[in-house]
Amino acid sequence: MDKATASGNYSTDPQEFINYVARETNKVLEMFSASGGDDIFRQFTQSWTELATRSLEDPTVWIRAIADYQQAQFNLWRNLMSGTSGETPVVQPERGDRRFQSDEWSNNPIYDYIKQSYLLTSRMLVDMAANAKLAPSEQAKLEFYTKQYVDALSPTNFALTNPEVLQQAMETKGQSLVDGLKNLLGDIEKGRISMTDESAFELGTNLATTEGAVVFQNELFQLIHYKPEGEQVYERPTLIVPPSINKFYILDLQPHNSFVKYCVEQGQDVYLVSWVNPTVEQRDLSWDDYVSDGVLKAIQVTCEISGSEKLNAVAWCVGGTLLTTALAVMANRKDTSVGSATFLTTLTDFSNPGDLCVFIDDYQVKQLESKVNSQGILNGRELATSFNMLRSNDLIWSYVVNNYLKGQTPPPFDILYWNSDSTNLPAAMYTFYINKMYLENKLVEPNGLEICGEPIDLGKIKIPCYFLSTIEDHIAPWKGTFNATETFGSTIEFVLGASGHVAGVINPASKNRRNYWVKGEQGKGADHWLETAERQEGSWWPNWAEWVRRRAGKKVDAPKEYGNDTYKVIEPAPGSYVSVRID
């Protein structure tokens, strides 16, 4: 992009500027298409075509739905004509829907009519989709893509039908629209929607600031050793394995909400894997490589530096799936280097992949697999778009309205900065993961996979395990993660936290917020476990800290330096691997 043009110093020829904006707008459409926009409309059309075909068997379903809709629209029109549309609304936004909070949506009869008409139409489509009675996989896709479609067509997303946008444009004499265009052009250049003020954060300055040093690195990861806070630490070190599809600093945001810092404060000798952000040249890195040269190598180096025969491992999401396969490999090899394992929102049984199931079928996987193999990587932006679509009103359309239509700059928010800092996945690793885990669910099948030359049987994992899942998790549904209590061969401490995949994990003890459940009866399914579990107020962090303390050994003198004679300091934490951005 021409920087001068983007900043407003363009030619005085209006037609030239119009042509420029048209070109940039086309880039937006291309960006949307590349990130899955075409698939939204294709899936929506395909699903509704199947619904229409099925409905021919009983057309009364359509007739009744359309008749109810027409009656509701008639009532809405009658209220508008009588001037009572705001007093006796035909339909109201659902609880938690923040799109229509402005008084103008209720006080102005025209905008109140637009709002209610949209809500009636969207509700009809959503209800018809919900009652389609298709095959489970097709039903989920129909409901998901219908929701995407109606969310995209909300009147709040268009300047001429959003009274807040028009009011702000008049109050600022059009400056908000100019600022919105600048925001749009800036995001086109970045290739993604800005969710936070990214200028407010810098790694190593106000994010990922826990003091430490990189003491080992290879093609796959850097190993960070953190500085102990006291004169003594527990003899058994803690090794943290974050997901390879995100940057590790979600676990080390700022001092008040850093899980890494909390571990250090508990007297643990803490090490952490910082994965590489792979390039096209690393397309052949496989799941086996991530296990052997990643997890297993990190375990080896951590034990050699600490001088301990065993360590306590902590892993999150895909990092937990990698750790699971590594533990199964170690069990075959009689390697007892890991004394206990903690899994944070981790799927090992993929029979219930949650909301992600709408992206997972033979057709979609083969399409994406072909693209990934052609490009060499799964671009992190595409992965981020898929996750954002699961909450499109909050993570897509609210920013379209605020950033582009209102010209606002989003406020600083550390988690959303991390959410925008995407990571690529190598083609070989990704295609194995999506096929063998999600499509075929081979990990849970005894000897269904061979990794690093070893048949994988989760029943051979005998070490104590702590599973933290979250009740509102749409990425790793807690009832799916609970299945590990039946497939692992070890004693599992299962804990269920409040909130979702990220907020439920990053719940600092100092805040004393939310709640969690413990001590449910295992062996009779997830629902029974929750029915018999005890609710505890506050963060799950202290519960885990006490669990791992009992497995950390005695106190010993804290290391005076990072690493040792073999593994010397390479650079300060957070290291250079985490700083590589897709931008």
Side-chain angles (χ1 to χ4, degrees), residues 358-416:
V358 299
F359 303 120
I360 301 168
D361 58 39
D362 287 332
Y363 176 82
Q364 292 186 85
V365 168
K366 282 183 171 56
Q367 289 287 104
L368 186 55
E369 188 176 342
S370 175
K371 181 178 181 180
V372 168
N373 286 330
S374 174
Q375 295 179 344
I377 55 171
L378 174 65
N379 191 293
R381 290 177 184 159
E382 296 183 24
L383 198 59
T385 297
S386 297
F387 286 124
N388 291 343
M389 284 172 63
L390 300 179
R391 293 173 53 205
S392 60
N393 275 334
D394 291 334
L395 297 178
I396 297 177
W397 297 115
S398 64
Y399 294 101
V400 169
V401 173
N402 291 328
N403 297 6
Y404 307 152
L405 301 185
K406 295 182 179 179
Q408 298 173 353
T409 299
F413 189 11
D414 51 10
I415 289 181
L416 288 179

Coordinates of all heavy atoms in Angstrom, one line a residue, residues 358-416:
V358 N -18.1 -27.9 12.8 CA -18.6 -27.3 11.6 C -17.6 -27.1 10.5 O -17.9 -27.0 9.3 CB -19.3 -26.0 11.8 CG1 -20.5 -26.2 12.8 CG2 -18.3 -24.9 12.4
F359 N -16.3 -27.1 10.9 CA -15.2 -27.0 9.9 C -14.6 -28.3 9.5 O -13.7 -28.4 8.7 CB -14.1 -26.1 10.4 CG -14.6 -24.7 10.9 CD1 -14.4 -24.3 12.2 CD2 -15.1 -23.9 10.0 CE1 -14.8 -23.0 12.6 CE2 -15.6 -22.6 10.3 CZ -15.4 -22.2 11.7
I360 N -15.1 -29.4 10.1 CA -14.4 -30.7 10.0 C -15.3 -31.7 9.3 O -16.2 -32.3 10.0 CB -14.0 -31.2 11.4 CG1 -13.0 -30.2 12.0 CG2 -13.3 -32.5 11.2 CD1 -12.7 -30.4 13.5
D361 N -15.2 -31.9 8.1 CA -15.8 -33.1 7.3 C -14.8 -33.4 6.2 O -13.9 -32.6 5.9 CB -17.2 -32.7 6.9 CG -17.2 -31.5 5.9 OD1 -16.3 -31.3 5.1 OD2 -18.2 -30.7 6.1
D362 N -15.0 -34.5 5.5 CA -14.1 -34.9 4.5 C -13.9 -33.9 3.4 O -12.7 -33.6 3.0 CB -14.6 -36.2 3.8 CG -14.5 -37.4 4.8 OD1 -13.5 -37.4 5.6 OD2 -15.2 -38.4 4.7
Y363 N -15.0 -33.2 3.0 CA -14.8 -32.2 1.9 C -14.0 -31.0 2.4 O -13.1 -30.6 1.7 CB -16.2 -31.8 1.5 CG -16.2 -30.7 0.4 CD1 -16.0 -31.0 -0.9 CD2 -16.3 -29.3 0.8 CE1 -15.9 -30.0 -1.9 CE2 -16.2 -28.3 -0.2 CZ -16.0 -28.6 -1.5 OH -15.9 -27.7 -2.4
Q364 N -14.4 -30.4 3.5 CA -13.7 -29.2 3.9 C -12.2 -29.5 4.3 O -11.3 -28.7 3.9 CB -14.4 -28.6 5.2 CG -15.8 -28.1 4.8 CD -16.4 -27.4 6.1 OE1 -16.1 -26.2 6.3 NE2 -17.2 -28.1 6.8
V365 N -12.0 -30.7 4.9 CA -10.6 -31.0 5.3 C -9.7 -31.2 4.0 O -8.6 -30.7 3.9 CB -10.6 -32.2 6.2 CG1 -9.1 -32.8 6.3 CG2 -11.1 -31.9 7.6
K366 N -10.3 -31.9 3.0 CA -9.5 -32.1 1.8 C -9.2 -30.8 1.1 O -8.2 -30.7 0.5 CB -10.3 -33.1 0.9 CG -10.2 -34.6 1.3 CD -10.9 -35.5 0.4 CE -10.5 -37.0 0.7 NZ -10.9 -37.3 2.1
Q367 N -10.2 -29.9 1.1 CA -10.0 -28.6 0.4 C -8.9 -27.9 1.1 O -8.0 -27.3 0.4 CB -11.3 -27.8 0.5 CG -12.4 -28.3 -0.4 CD -12.1 -28.0 -1.9 OE1 -11.8 -28.9 -2.7 NE2 -12.3 -26.8 -2.3
L368 N -8.9 -27.8 2.4 CA -7.9 -27.1 3.2 C -6.6 -27.8 3.1 O -5.5 -27.1 3.0 CB -8.4 -26.9 4.6 CG -7.5 -26.0 5.5 CD1 -7.3 -24.6 4.9 CD2 -8.0 -25.9 6.9
E369 N -6.6 -29.1 3.2 CA -5.4 -29.9 3.1 C -4.6 -29.6 1.8 O -3.4 -29.5 1.7 CB -5.7 -31.3 3.2 CG -4.5 -32.2 3.4 CD -4.8 -33.7 3.6 OE1 -6.0 -33.9 4.1 OE2 -4.0 -34.5 3.4
S370 N -5.4 -29.5 0.7 CA -4.8 -29.2 -0.6 C -4.2 -27.9 -0.6 O -3.0 -27.7 -1.1 CB -5.9 -29.3 -1.7 OG -5.4 -29.0 -3.0
K371 N -4.8 -26.9 0.0 CA -4.3 -25.5 0.0 C -3.1 -25.5 0.9 O -2.1 -24.8 0.5 CB -5.4 -24.6 0.6 CG -5.0 -23.2 0.7 CD -6.1 -22.3 1.2 CE -5.8 -20.8 1.2 NZ -6.9 -20.0 1.7
V372 N -3.1 -26.1 2.0 CA -2.0 -26.1 3.0 C -0.8 -26.8 2.3 O 0.4 -26.3 2.4 CB -2.4 -26.8 4.3 CG1 -1.1 -27.1 5.2 CG2 -3.4 -26.0 5.1
N373 N -1.0 -27.9 1.7 CA 0.2 -28.6 1.0 C 0.7 -27.8 -0.1 O 1.9 -27.8 -0.3 CB -0.3 -30.0 0.5 CG -0.5 -31.0 1.6 OD1 0.2 -30.9 2.6 ND2 -1.4 -31.9 1.4
S374 N -0.1 -27.0 -0.8 CA 0.4 -26.1 -1.8 C 1.2 -25.0 -1.3 O 2.2 -24.6 -1.8 CB -0.8 -25.6 -2.6 OG -0.4 -24.6 -3.6
Q375 N 0.7 -24.4 -0.1 CA 1.4 -23.2 0.5 C 2.6 -23.6 1.4 O 3.4 -22.8 1.6 CB 0.4 -22.4 1.2 CG -0.7 -21.8 0.4 CD -1.7 -21.0 1.2 OE1 -1.8 -21.1 2.4 NE2 -2.5 -20.1 0.5
G376 N 2.5 -24.9 1.9 CA 3.6 -25.3 2.8 C 3.2 -25.1 4.3 O 3.9 -25.7 5.1
I377 N 2.3 -24.3 4.6 CA 1.9 -24.0 6.0 C 0.4 -23.7 6.0 O -0.2 -23.4 5.0 CB 2.6 -22.7 6.6 CG1 2.4 -21.5 5.7 CG2 4.1 -23.0 6.8 CD1 2.8 -20.2 6.2
L378 N -0.2 -23.9 7.2 CA -1.5 -23.4 7.5 C -1.3 -22.0 8.1 O -0.7 -21.9 9.2 CB -2.3 -24.3 8.5 CG -3.6 -23.7 9.0 CD1 -4.6 -23.6 7.8 CD2 -4.2 -24.5 10.1
N379 N -1.7 -21.0 7.3 CA -1.5 -19.6 7.8 C -2.2 -19.3 9.1 O -3.4 -19.6 9.2 CB -1.9 -18.6 6.7 CG -1.5 -17.2 6.9 OD1 -1.9 -16.6 7.9 ND2 -0.5 -16.7 6.1
G380 N -1.5 -18.8 10.0 CA -2.1 -18.5 11.3 C -3.3 -17.6 11.3 O -4.2 -17.7 12.1
R381 N -3.4 -16.7 10.3 CA -4.5 -15.8 10.1 C -5.8 -16.6 9.8 O -6.9 -16.2 10.3 CB -4.2 -14.8 9.0 CG -3.2 -13.8 9.4 CD -2.9 -12.8 8.2 NE -1.8 -11.9 8.5 CZ -1.1 -11.3 7.6 NH1 -1.4 -11.5 6.3 NH2 -0.2 -10.5 7.9
E382 N -5.7 -17.6 9.0 CA -6.9 -18.4 8.6 C -7.3 -19.2 9.9 O -8.6 -19.3 10.1 CB -6.5 -19.3 7.5 CG -6.1 -18.6 6.2 CD -5.9 -19.6 5.1 OE1 -6.4 -20.7 5.1 OE2 -5.2 -19.2 4.1
L383 N -6.4 -19.7 10.6 CA -6.8 -20.4 11.9 C -7.5 -19.4 12.8 O -8.5 -19.8 13.4 CB -5.5 -21.0 12.5 CG -5.7 -22.1 13.5 CD1 -6.5 -23.3 12.9 CD2 -4.4 -22.5 14.1
A384 N -6.9 -18.2 13.0 CA -7.5 -17.2 13.9 C -8.9 -16.9 13.4 O -9.8 -16.7 14.2 CB -6.6 -16.0 14.0
T385 N -9.1 -16.7 12.1 CA -10.5 -16.4 11.6 C -11.5 -17.5 11.9 O -12.6 -17.2 12.3 CB -10.4 -16.2 10.1 OG1 -9.5 -15.1 9.7 CG2 -11.8 -15.9 9.5
S386 N -11.1 -18.7 11.8 CA -12.0 -19.8 12.2 C -12.4 -19.7 13.6 O -13.6 -19.9 14.0 CB -11.3 -21.2 11.9 OG -11.0 -21.3 10.5
F387 N -11.4 -19.5 14.5 CA -11.8 -19.4 15.9 C -12.7 -18.2 16.2 O -13.6 -18.2 17.0 CB -10.5 -19.3 16.8 CG -9.8 -20.6 16.9 CD1 -8.5 -20.7 16.5 CD2 -10.4 -21.7 17.4 CE1 -7.8 -21.9 16.6 CE2 -9.8 -23.0 17.5 CZ -8.5 -23.1 17.1
N388 N -12.4 -17.0 15.5 CA -13.2 -15.8 15.7 C -14.6 -16.0 15.3 O -15.5 -15.4 15.8 CB -12.5 -14.6 15.0 CG -11.2 -14.2 15.6 OD1 -10.9 -14.6 16.8 ND2 -10.4 -13.5 14.9
M389 N -14.8 -16.8 14.2 CA -16.1 -17.0 13.7 C -17.0 -17.7 14.7 O -18.3 -17.6 14.6 CB -16.1 -17.9 12.4 CG -15.6 -17.1 11.2 SD -15.3 -18.2 9.8 CE -17.0 -18.9 9.5
L390 N -16.4 -18.4 15.7 CA -17.2 -19.1 16.7 C -18.0 -18.1 17.6 O -19.0 -18.4 18.2 CB -16.4 -20.0 17.6 CG -15.6 -21.1 16.8 CD1 -14.8 -21.9 17.8 CD2 -16.6 -22.1 16.1
R391 N -17.4 -16.8 17.6 CA -18.1 -15.7 18.4 C -18.0 -14.5 17.5 O -17.4 -13.5 17.8 CB -17.4 -15.5 19.7 CG -17.5 -16.6 20.7 CD -16.6 -16.3 21.9 NE -16.9 -15.0 22.5 CZ -16.0 -14.3 23.2 NH1 -14.8 -14.9 23.4 NH2 -16.3 -13.2 23.7
S392 N -18.7 -14.6 16.3 CA -18.5 -13.5 15.3 C -19.0 -12.2 15.7 O -18.4 -11.2 15.4 CB -19.2 -14.0 14.0 OG -20.6 -14.2 14.2
N393 N -20.1 -12.1 16.5 CA -20.6 -10.8 16.9 C -19.6 -10.1 17.8 O -19.4 -8.9 17.7 CB -21.9 -10.9 17.6 CG -23.1 -10.9 16.6 OD1 -23.0 -10.4 15.5 ND2 -24.2 -11.5 17.0
D394 N -19.0 -10.8 18.7 CA -18.0 -10.2 19.6 C -16.6 -10.0 19.0 O -16.0 -9.0 19.3 CB -17.9 -11.1 20.9 CG -19.1 -11.1 21.7 OD1 -19.9 -10.2 21.7 OD2 -19.3 -12.1 22.4
L395 N -16.2 -11.0 18.2 CA -14.8 -11.0 17.7 C -14.6 -10.5 16.2 O -13.5 -10.4 15.8 CB -14.2 -12.3 17.9 CG -14.1 -12.8 19.4 CD1 -13.5 -14.2 19.4 CD2 -13.2 -11.8 20.2
I396 N -15.7 -10.3 15.5 CA -15.6 -9.7 14.2 C -16.4 -8.5 14.0 O -15.9 -7.4 13.8 CB -16.0 -10.8 13.1 CG1 -15.1 -12.0 13.2 CG2 -16.0 -10.2 11.7 CD1 -15.4 -13.2 12.3
W397 N -17.8 -8.6 14.1 CA -18.7 -7.5 13.7 C -18.6 -6.3 14.6 O -18.8 -5.2 14.2 CB -20.1 -8.1 13.5 CG -20.2 -9.1 12.4 CD1 -20.5 -10.4 12.6 CD2 -19.9 -8.9 11.1 NE1 -20.5 -11.0 11.3 CE2 -20.1 -10.1 10.4 CE3 -19.5 -7.7 10.3 CZ2 -19.9 -10.2 9.0 CZ3 -19.3 -7.9 8.9 CH2 -19.5 -9.1 8.3
S398 N -18.4 -6.6 15.9 CA -18.3 -5.4 16.8 C -17.1 -4.5 16.5 O -17.2 -3.3 16.6 CB -18.2 -5.9 18.3 OG -17.0 -6.6 18.5
Y399 N -16.0 -5.1 16.0 CA -14.9 -4.3 15.6 C -15.1 -3.7 14.2 O -14.5 -2.6 13.9 CB -13.6 -5.2 15.6 CG -13.3 -5.7 17.0 CD1 -13.6 -7.0 17.4 CD2 -12.7 -4.9 17.9 CE1 -13.3 -7.4 18.7 CE2 -12.4 -5.3 19.2 CZ -12.7 -6.6 19.6 OH -12.5 -7.0 20.8
V400 N -15.8 -4.4 13.3 CA -16.2 -3.7 12.0 C -16.9 -2.4 12.3 O -16.6 -1.4 11.7 CB -17.0 -4.7 11.2 CG1 -17.6 -3.9 10.0 CG2 -16.1 -5.8 10.7
V401 N -17.9 -2.5 13.2 CA -18.7 -1.3 13.5 C -17.9 -0.3 14.2 O -17.9 0.9 13.8 CB -19.9 -1.7 14.4 CG1 -20.7 -0.5 14.9 CG2 -20.9 -2.7 13.6
N402 N -17.2 -0.6 15.3 CA -16.5 0.4 16.0 C -15.3 1.0 15.3 O -15.0 2.2 15.3 CB -16.1 -0.2 17.4 CG -17.2 -0.5 18.3 OD1 -18.2 0.2 18.3 ND2 -17.1 -1.5 19.1
N403 N -14.5 0.1 14.6 CA -13.3 0.5 14.0 C -13.5 1.3 12.7 O -12.9 2.3 12.4 CB -12.4 -0.6 13.7 CG -11.9 -1.3 15.0 OD1 -12.3 -1.0 16.1 ND2 -11.0 -2.3 14.9
Y404 N -14.4 0.7 11.8 CA -14.6 1.2 10.5 C -15.7 2.2 10.3 O -15.6 3.2 9.6 CB -14.8 0.0 9.5 CG -13.7 -1.0 9.6 CD1 -14.0 -2.3 9.2 CD2 -12.4 -0.7 10.0 CE1 -13.0 -3.3 9.3 CE2 -11.4 -1.7 10.1 CZ -11.7 -3.0 9.8 OH -10.8 -4.0 9.8
L405 N -16.9 1.9 11.0 CA -18.0 2.8 10.8 C -18.0 3.9 11.8 O -18.4 5.0 11.5 CB -19.3 2.0 11.1 CG -19.6 0.8 10.1 CD1 -20.9 0.2 10.3 CD2 -19.4 1.2 8.6
K406 N -17.5 3.7 13.0 CA -17.4 4.8 14.0 C -16.0 5.4 14.1 O -15.9 6.5 14.7 CB -17.8 4.3 15.4 CG -19.2 3.8 15.5 CD -19.6 3.3 16.9 CE -21.0 2.9 17.0 NZ -21.3 2.4 18.4
G407 N -15.0 4.8 13.5 CA -13.7 5.4 13.4 C -13.0 5.4 14.8 O -12.1 6.2 15.0
Q408 N -13.3 4.5 15.6 CA -12.7 4.4 17.0 C -11.5 3.5 17.0 O -11.4 2.6 16.1 CB -13.8 3.9 18.0 CG -15.0 4.7 18.1 CD -16.0 4.1 19.0 OE1 -15.9 3.0 19.4 NE2 -17.1 4.9 19.3
T409 N -10.6 3.7 17.9 CA -9.5 2.9 18.1 C -9.8 2.0 19.3 O -10.1 2.5 20.3 CB -8.2 3.7 18.4 OG1 -7.9 4.6 17.3 CG2 -7.0 2.8 18.7
P410 N -9.7 0.7 19.1 CA -10.0 -0.2 20.2 C -9.1 0.0 21.4 O -7.9 0.3 21.2 CB -9.8 -1.6 19.6 CG -8.9 -1.4 18.4 CD -9.2 -0.1 17.9
P411 N -9.6 -0.2 22.6 CA -8.8 0.0 23.8 C -7.7 -1.1 24.0 O -7.9 -2.2 23.4 CB -9.8 0.0 24.9 CG -10.9 -0.8 24.4 CD -11.0 -0.6 22.9
P412 N -6.7 -0.8 24.7 CA -5.7 -1.9 25.0 C -6.3 -3.0 25.8 O -7.0 -2.8 26.8 CB -4.6 -1.1 25.8 CG -4.8 0.3 25.6 CD -6.3 0.4 25.4
F413 N -6.0 -4.3 25.4 CA -6.4 -5.5 26.0 C -5.4 -6.6 25.8 O -5.3 -7.0 24.6 CB -7.8 -5.8 25.6 CG -8.5 -6.9 26.4 CD1 -7.9 -7.4 27.6 CD2 -9.6 -7.6 25.9 CE1 -8.5 -8.4 28.3 CE2 -10.3 -8.6 26.6 CZ -9.7 -9.0 27.8
D414 N -4.7 -7.0 26.8 CA -3.6 -7.9 26.6 C -4.0 -9.2 25.9 O -3.3 -9.7 25.0 CB -2.8 -8.2 27.9 CG -3.8 -8.6 29.1 OD1 -4.9 -8.9 28.8 OD2 -3.3 -8.6 30.2
I415 N -5.1 -9.8 26.3 CA -5.5 -11.1 25.8 C -5.9 -11.0 24.3 O -5.5 -11.9 23.5 CB -6.7 -11.7 26.5 CG1 -6.3 -12.2 27.9 CG2 -7.3 -12.9 25.8 CD1 -7.4 -12.8 28.8
L416 N -6.5 -9.9 23.9 CA -6.8 -9.7 22.5 C -5.6 -9.3 21.7 O -5.5 -9.7 20.5 CB -7.9 -8.6 22.3 CG -9.3 -8.9 22.8 CD1 -10.2 -7.8 22.6 CD2 -9.8 -10.2 22.0

